[in-house]
Amino acid sequence: MSVHTRRRSLSACAALAASAALPGALFAPSARAESSSVRISYGYGILYLPLMVMERQRLFEIEWKTFDGGNVINDAMLSGALDIAGIGVPGFLTLWAKAKGNPKLEVRGLTGMSSSSMYLMTRNPQVKSLKDFGEKDRIAVPGIKTSLPAVLLQMAAAQEFGDDNYAKLDPITVALPHPDAMGVMLSGRGEINSHMASPPFSYVEAATPGLHRVMNSVDVLGNITLDMTFTTRRFAEANPILTGEFVAAMQEACYFIASNPTKAAQIYNDVAKVKQPIADTVKILTDPNSKFTIVPHGTMKYADFLMRVGVIKVKPENWKELFFPTIYSVSGS
């Protein structure tokens, strides 16, 4: 059953928006009644922590769903099973390009959310760089071709082998959610011997004897936004107040993580049901590469790549074309 949204006072939302240097209104006022429930998804890993904080701190009460992989999330959004989604930037861009110009399907970003380092881990001692992977190796990613780790791997391959060979490693990728992929990596069994891992799975694997890191995404691509939130134009226009409240709650959640890393770490461990020490989770949150912010960084870097290799057929003129006006005043890219 849906959980009814606990409406925040408009004055409180206005104060939060002002603190984030956001415009006061998302859209023109709607004469229709706004939705009484909101369905939001997040995936596996610490990159979705702001949404977990939002839930546990009761900043925004909704019905939560867990999906992993851009293609799965996009299908759920288009089918009407979701209202707002947390997603990797590449998965969002793919749907944005396909739906652009269609009022019934058009989507835009609400906020940035998180950035961190993503590790390409392997237990094959012969693999020291992307050039060393062979046809017998298998790399786990949440979704083949479309998930965030899969596209980051493609972007790294394009740098290593050229744009014409951006998909060179696709044939040896295998779709597997991060928790399952880590389990296989730690077991040392099975055909999957490598994993494009997000935190905390990347940190656990990096500390495991017999596994080593081939690549750190930050070293190759810079510290760009990895996960963001988005919704359909139809939902946002029908629910302007509710959508504005979501953006304000996301901003508050990001502030909470920055100012209360130990409490935020406890929330992650509780929601994700992980048994690692709180200190280990705090270490991830305070890593200089870990950032939680509504400001989107590097979205055009993804768009440039996806356009160059032909994955999307239309390119945004700038980052603002990808997002709703709510965050136009921030220094995005």
Side-chain angles (χ1 to χ4, degrees):
M1 294 179 64
S2 295
V3 180
H4 288 287
T5 304
R6 176 173 59 87
R7 298 306 176 95
R8 305 159 65 88
S9 70
L10 292 179
S11 59
C13 285
L16 283 170
S19 70
L22 301 178
L26 179 60
F27 299 105
S30 171
R32 289 171 291 178
E34 297 204 6
S35 176
S36 62
S37 63
V38 187
R39 299 158 301 171
I40 298 181
S41 74
Y42 56 74
Y44 299 106
I46 214 159
L47 295 175
Y48 294 93
L49 180 56
L51 291 172
M52 299 175 186
V53 168
M54 194 182 299
E55 176 188 22
R56 286 303 173 98
Q57 294 299 106
R58 300 181 69 82
L59 303 178
F60 201 78
E61 296 180 14
I62 55 276
E63 179 184 348
W64 293 102
K65 296 177 179 291
T66 302
F67 295 109
D68 206 16
N71 52 345
V72 176
I73 295 169
N74 288 344
D75 288 346
M77 184 67 77
L78 291 179
S79 70
L82 284 176
D83 300 314
I84 297 174
I87 192 173
V89 177
F92 161 76
L93 281 167
T94 301
L95 182 57
W96 174 86
K98 289 181 179 179
K100 182 175 171 57
N102 185 331
K104 293 183 179 181
L105 300 178
E106 186 177 337
V107 297
R108 290 188 191 179
L110 285 167
T111 68
M113 184 163 59
S114 56
S115 61
S116 185
S117 51
M118 194 167 287
Y119 298 168
L120 175 55
M121 300 296 302
T122 188
R123 65 167 180 259
N124 183 345
Q126 304 304 316
V127 175
K128 306 298 183 182
S129 71
L130 297 186
K131 294 179 180 179
D132 298 326
F133 280 101
E135 61 181 16
K136 293 184 178 180
D137 291 303
R138 293 294 181 270
I139 305 171
V141 294
I144 297 172
K145 295 182 181 293
T146 60
S147 67
L148 170 65
V151 175
L152 289 175
L153 185 60
Q154 291 173 342
M155 294 172 76
Q159 285 195 15
E160 184 74 32
F161 307 114
D163 281 355
D164 289 344
N165 294 301
Y166 82 97
K168 183 179 178 66
L169 299 177
D170 282 7
I172 63 171
T173 58
V174 178
L176 198 64
H178 285 305
D180 296 337
M182 184 181 73
V184 172
M185 291 290 286
L186 298 185
S187 74
R189 299 187 296 271
E191 66 170 4
I192 294 174
N193 62 1
S194 306
H195 179 201
M196 191 67 178
S198 68
F201 313 105
S202 52
Y203 286 76
V204 174
E205 292 177 19
T208 300
L211 304 182
H212 69 273
R213 186 172 69 193
V214 179
M215 180 190 77
N216 178 342
S217 64
V218 172
D219 293 339
V220 178
L221 304 170
N223 199 336
I224 56 180
T225 296
L226 298 183
D227 281 342
M228 56 177 287
T229 65
F230 80 104
T231 189
T232 61
R233 175 181 172 183
R234 181 170 51 182
F235 179 82
E237 289 182 344
N239 300 276
I241 296 175
L242 186 152
T243 310
E245 289 176 353
F246 173 84
V247 175
M250 173 63 75
Q251 173 74 333
E252 189 173 351
C254 291
Y255 279 144
F256 179 91
I257 295 168
S259 58
N260 301 280
T262 300
K263 291 181 179 179
Q266 185 65 63
I267 288 174
Y268 176 75
N269 281 17
D270 290 345
V271 173
K273 296 180 174 60
V274 298
K275 297 180 180 180
Q276 70 181 15
I278 293 297
D280 289 354
T281 307
V282 171
K283 182 178 179 181
I284 299 173
L285 297 183
T286 55
D287 187 312
N289 286 332
S290 297
K291 302 181 187 300
F292 299 93
T293 174
I294 67 169
V295 182
H297 294 292
T299 55
M300 292 302 293
K301 182 176 288 190
Y302 292 105
D304 289 341
F305 167 75
L306 294 174
M307 185 71 180
R308 286 201 319 270
V309 300
V311 173
I312 61 176
K313 304 303 181 183
V314 58
K315 178 184 170 183
E317 293 185 6
N318 53 56
W319 73 272
K320 290 183 178 180
E321 189 176 349
L322 299 170
F323 287 82
F324 289 113
T326 323
I327 61 170
Y328 281 4
S329 64
V330 303
S331 299
S333 62

